[in-house]
Amino acid sequence: MATKNHDIKDPTLAVAGKLRIEWAYREMPVVKLIRQRFSIEKPLKGVRISACLHVTTETANLALTLKEGGADVIVCASNPLSTQDDVAAALVEYDIPANAIRGEDEETYYKHINTALDHEPQLTVDDGADLVTTLHTKRSDLISNVIGGTEETTTGVIRLRSMEKAGKLKYPLIAVNDAQTKYLFDNRYGTGQSTIDGVTRATNILWAGKKVVVCGYGWCGHGIALRAKGLGSQVIVTEVEPVRALEAVMDGYQVMPLLEAAGVGDIFITTTGDKNVIDKAHLQVMKDGAILANSGHFNVEINIPALESLAHSKRRVRPFVDEYTLSNGRHLYLLGEGRLINLAAAEGHPASVMDMSFANQALCLEYMVKNSGMLKPKVYSVPEEIDKQIARLKLSSMGIDIDSLSPEQKEYLTSWEEGT
Ligand SMILES: NC(=O)c1ccc[n+]([C@@H]2O[C@H](COP(=O)([O-])OP(=O)(O)OC[C@H]3O[C@@H](n4cnc5c(N)ncnc54)[C@H](O)[C@@H]3O)[C@@H](O)[C@H]2O)c1
């Protein structure tokens, strides 16, 4: 249903969406505490926010929190295949315009980003930097309104840092991804669990005994490898960074070049933020029946044009599973059109990890407003105090207490005089 400022698939899905948003909120105690404070203090009063995020139940809870803080929020999708249409419908009922339809084509995807920009944001929230780059390249007349913004994911932070380096970044942004309470949990445990969930829902395969090739041993790769191993798979890691490769070896995985792994793997999962990681040469030597999935931000990690060129036929055999029959007679199965499989075929990260990621988002947006005009057009880290505060709140929501340093220990840890 399209109106001037929202565009969703079906407004009647709102009832189901609201129930799911409520369900996720139960697992978001830190966001809940922030929402309670925001509702009293209204730190974002009257601030226009354009948020380009995966439209999931957790995102809805962030948007509702920002609204409770007084903000005027509009939402658009950060990926064509990650939108939960019931959530988009519920957002509209909550008076938060949503511009997101699952499976939208590229033209609609950018139309939705442009509608979010028509809101003339003072703050931007992005996941992958498509909104920020569109604002800088095609809608630069709107930049003078902007106080600042936040970026949710590794790939977005990489893009913003290269904009900063090229002198093209025009307003301050905080790299939410780089907070410890984000990447150590969201990227590792969130992507780990939900990627396995996405592949399972798409294929219903048994993981035990499978050879799973994880391309990229960053934080997402750590999580995926760990969870696949836990389910009984033999995990092979491929890397280009020697330290990470060494870490994978000592974590108990086999490490080898992808060309070697290509011939033995049953399931391949990319999570590098890089392009053409699985390329033509790898596809040519894969076993009959090999499954290919991606959990990195963009659908460029598996060279899909190369796969298309090697195939003489293609058919959809299950939702999210495309079977490619190659000229050599083998079948390869591409999941979710190479888009992040945890959001395409499953529901994305569990709410409990998004609780911390989105607590970072809410507190960083508040920080931006408080420090309006004082920050330079560069990529900032999440202030350490925010990171620590979120960890403390999460621990306390789990009923876990920790020790604190005694005055003697504090002094010892900041001095150099004492030795053996
Ligand atoms: N699916 C999700 O929900 C989700 C969540 C968080 C992040 N992400 C995305 O996942 C991707 C990875 O994120 P991360 O935080 O793990 O990044 P990271 O930077 O920690 O790790 C990426 C790793 O990939 C390696 N790499 C790069 N090119 C490679 C190649 N050709 N072959 C093998 N390894 C290669 C790098 O050396 C690095 O170790 C990014 O695109 C990020 O935006 C997705």
Side-chain angles (χ1 to χ4, degrees):
M1 202 186 104
T3 66
K4 201 170 138 279
N5 69 352
H6 73 253
D7 189 13
I8 57 171
K9 184 167 182 203
D10 178 359
T12 65
L13 299 173
V15 180
K18 281 184 170 177
L19 282 173
R20 290 180 57 247
I21 293 167
E22 236 177 77
W23 178 254
Y25 197 46
R26 292 174 54 256
E27 288 268 338
M28 302 180 80
V30 181
V31 165
K32 190 172 187 176
L33 283 172
I34 294 170
R35 193 185 295 182
Q36 283 161 353
R37 178 171 66 76
F38 274 19
S39 74
I40 298 162
E41 296 176 7
K42 303 282 178 202
L44 304 172
K45 193 159 192 273
V47 178
R48 292 185 305 279
I49 301 181
S50 299
C52 179
L53 292 167
H54 300 298
V55 179
T56 63
T57 52
E58 297 79 17
T59 293
N61 280 308
L62 171 64
L64 287 165
T65 302
L66 303 178
K67 186 168 188 266
E68 199 63 50
D72 179 3
V73 188
I74 190 167
V75 171
C76 67
S78 62
N79 186 288
L81 210 52
S82 63
T83 297
Q84 298 170 3
D85 288 317
D86 56 349
V87 171
L91 279 171
V92 172
E93 279 219 357
Y94 284 128
D95 252 343
I96 297 173
N99 289 272
I101 298 174
R102 191 180 188 82
E104 62 196 21
D105 60 19
E106 198 172 313
E107 192 187 330
T108 312
Y109 175 74
Y110 279 102
K111 187 183 93 186
H112 286 161
I113 286 183
N114 275 297
T115 307
L117 291 174
D118 291 341
H119 191 54
E120 301 185 5
Q122 292 161 294
L123 290 174
T124 61
V125 182
D126 214 345
D127 186 333
D130 280 346
L131 182 107
V132 172
T133 49
T134 306
L135 180 58
H136 277 74
T137 52
K138 306 221 164 64
R139 306 291 301 272
S140 55
D141 54 305
L142 298 173
I143 287 183
S144 58
N145 297 319
V146 183
I147 300 167
T150 52
E151 170 53 53
E152 173 74 8
T153 198
T154 317
T155 285
V157 171
I158 290 169
R159 293 177 84 190
L160 295 180
R161 291 230 160 89
S162 66
M163 282 172 81
E164 178 187 341
K165 208 166 155 203
K168 300 282 185 206
L169 196 63
K170 298 283 185 249
Y171 63 87
L173 282 130
I174 298 184
V176 164
N177 180 72
D178 296 356
Q180 292 188 66
T181 47
K182 200 281 184 182
Y183 70 83
L184 286 177
F185 304 93
D186 169 317
N187 300 31
R188 179 164 42 173
Y189 302 116
T191 314
Q193 178 173 319
S194 62
T195 298
I196 300 291
D197 185 15
V199 175
T200 309
R201 289 198 208 190
T203 60
N204 198 27
I205 51 134
L206 178 74
W207 291 85
K210 293 280 192 311
K211 289 198 171 68
V212 176
V213 180
V214 178
C215 304
Y217 200 60
W219 291 107
C220 295
H222 275 71
I224 296 166
L226 187 68
R227 295 299 175 238
K229 184 178 178 180
L231 286 166
S233 303
Q234 293 174 44
V235 177
I236 300 169
V237 167
T238 72
E239 250 300 340
V240 292
E241 283 291 332
V243 175
R244 284 198 151 158
L246 186 59
E247 196 188 0
V249 172
M250 299 225 181
D251 284 345
Y253 305 113
Q254 266 187 285
V255 174
M256 61 182 77
L258 182 54
L259 204 51
E260 212 175 298
V264 293
D266 300 304
I267 304 166
F268 296 80
I269 304 173
T270 52
T271 180
T272 65
D274 197 357
K275 73 185 291 194
N276 296 341
V277 175
I278 296 186
D279 216 341
K280 195 169 188 168
H282 308 115
L283 296 166
Q284 277 168 323
V285 296
M286 282 182 185
K287 293 196 298 195
D288 184 34
I291 292 171
L292 312 172
N294 167 52
S295 227
H297 189 76
F298 288 118
N299 62 337
V300 297
E301 305 212 9
I302 299 167
N303 187 343
I304 299 172
L307 181 58
E308 300 268 348
S309 77
L310 287 171
H312 68 69
S313 67
K314 170 184 170 186
R315 59 179 185 144
R316 180 148 297 180
V317 291
R318 284 168 64 97
F320 309 110
V321 184
D322 289 331
E323 179 189 68
Y324 287 81
T325 304
L326 308 196
S327 320
N328 62 14
R330 295 179 193 164
H331 303 92
L332 299 182
Y333 296 94
L334 177 67
L335 306 191
E337 298 167 19
R339 297 197 184 274
L340 2 81
I341 195 61
N342 60 330
L343 282 140
E347 293 171 68
H349 293 9
S352 181
V353 281
M354 294 316 292
D355 186 31
M356 289 187 277
S357 308
F358 285 168
N360 272 293
Q361 287 283 4
L363 296 182
C364 286
L365 291 166
E366 179 186 33
Y367 176 88
M368 279 279 173
V369 171
K370 276 193 185 148
N371 291 281
S372 170
M374 267 127 68
L375 303 171
K376 295 192 176 66
K378 49 183 262 200
V379 181
Y380 286 88
S381 302
V382 171
E384 198 184 329
E385 189 37 44
I386 290 183
D387 215 353
K388 289 228 163 91
Q389 186 192 346
I390 291 169
R392 272 195 296 269
L393 291 174
K394 191 71 175 177
L395 281 168
S396 116
S397 78
M398 299 163 101
I400 296 168
D401 215 354
I402 59 168
D403 292 322
S404 45
L405 294 171
S406 66
E408 182 195 26
Q409 288 168 336
K410 267 191 195 156
E411 197 187 321
Y412 177 74
L413 291 171
T414 49
S415 66
W416 55 271
E417 290 96 339
E418 258 185 77
T420 313

